[in-house]
Amino acid sequence: MSQSSNAQFSAQSPAYSLLELASVREGDSVGQTLANSVAYAQHAESLGFQRFWLAEHHNMEGISSSATAVLVGHIAGATKTLRVGSGGVMLPNHPPLVIAEQFGTLESLYPGRIDLGLGRAPGTDPITSRALRREGLGAEQFPEDVARLQTLLGPLQPGQQVKAIPGAGTNVPIWLLGSSLYTAQLAAMRGLPYAFAGHFAPRLYREAIQTYRDNFQPSEQLDKPYVILAVPAVPADTDEEAQFLATTSYQRILSLFRGQPLWMRPPVKSMDGLWNSGEKAGVKDFLSLQLLGSENSIREQLERLLQTVEVNELMFTVDLYDPEKRRHALDILAATRH
């Protein structure tokens, strides 16, 4: 079945989905963090969100989504209709056969609900990349690795020596994720759906998505272009509350810039004294696609955003400290579609 047949939306009415990093609040355990992620996914499902993807990061204190396939299975097992997948598996870290077996197993357990999003960055630092035992294999091999995965997840061919069991014949939908024109071109050439990482690399979002649409070649998986744009969002009952809650993500990105642990910290009344003017500009640039405010404010911001780019789906990252407020933020986002 063509991926585009899952749902059809105009540029003005994209589907809503979520990207999850399983961010650890300062002082919380990983177990509590993952329990919060499950409750968050279940609430998203009840509101009609389309998919829930988990990112892959390694050696980052404060982010607990390193074993991506394990978490995909955990979330899929706790939900019923939500599509669950990787946003994404960082392919330079893994042999394609292992990924095909993992996601083939997931598809066998949860038929029609699994997505395999692939990235070509390591999702970590060079030392950790070496610790992941993929020395000498980097992003330059990404196109070949994508092709291997397509073969391993497709129907068995006569004389095929290396088989993914489970995996062969499952045809798990493959997505290419990126923040550059390179991945946009590759996704277009292969006829694969494309997700742009506007939540951390907003600069090229219009150019990359247009490049993908202009060069798209139909494939067995997809008959026409399908685009997800990932954006950060801080929904709240009022604009003032949203400004306050947003300081949690500001502190995390500031920690990222400084090479510090990425624990989720409580919001603060003011960032003054926590960052200098250069850091403030850097954080704001990082979050230049951020949607922030009340339901009405976010609806207006979405309308402006969707006048600049044609997307089939929006995938939100919602970095809020309080798990209850984070779930309530989904109520506010869902209301903007009505």
Side-chain angles (χ1 to χ4, degrees), residues 9 14-20 40 44 48-53 82-84 115 175 226-231 233 312-318 330 333 337:
F9 296 91
Y16 282 8
S17 296
L18 294 172
L19 178 64
E20 173 75 333
Y40 182 59
F49 281 72
Q50 178 146 314
R51 66 187 91 235
F52 189 94
W53 281 1
L82 199 63
R83 290 196 69 93
V84 189
D115 294 325
W175 296 69
Y226 194 99
V227 175
I228 290 178
L229 176 61
V231 294
N312 302 88
E313 203 167 318
L314 289 166
M315 182 168 278
F316 301 100
T317 56
V318 183
L330 300 186
L333 277 178
R337 292 203 71 216

Side-chain angles (χ1 to χ4, degrees), residues 45 69-85 102-115 170 172-173:
E45 180 175 68
V70 176
L71 292 185
V72 169
H74 186 59
I75 297 291
T79 52
K80 294 181 174 66
T81 58
L82 199 63
R83 290 196 69 93
V84 189
Q102 289 175 352
F103 280 78
T105 300
L106 288 166
E107 176 64 25
S108 301
L109 290 168
Y110 309 104
R113 293 182 53 209
I114 301 300
D115 294 325
T170 57
V172 178

Side-chain angles (χ1 to χ4, degrees), residues 56-61 63 65-68 90 93-94 122-125 128-129 132:
E56 177 186 340
H57 293 282
H58 299 278
N59 196 22
M60 291 187 178
E61 292 178 277
I63 295 178
S65 60
S66 55
T68 313
M90 298 295 105
N93 299 336
H94 310 281
T124 188
D125 58 89
T128 308
S129 292
L132 288 162

Side-chain angles (χ1 to χ4, degrees), residues 32 63 69 78 94 109-110 117 127 141 162 181 227 280 305-306 315:
Q32 182 59 56
I63 295 178
H94 310 281
L109 290 168
Y110 309 104
I127 294 173
Q141 198 170 297
V162 178
L181 302 184
V227 175
K280 178 180 179 179
L305 174 64
L306 294 172
M315 182 168 278

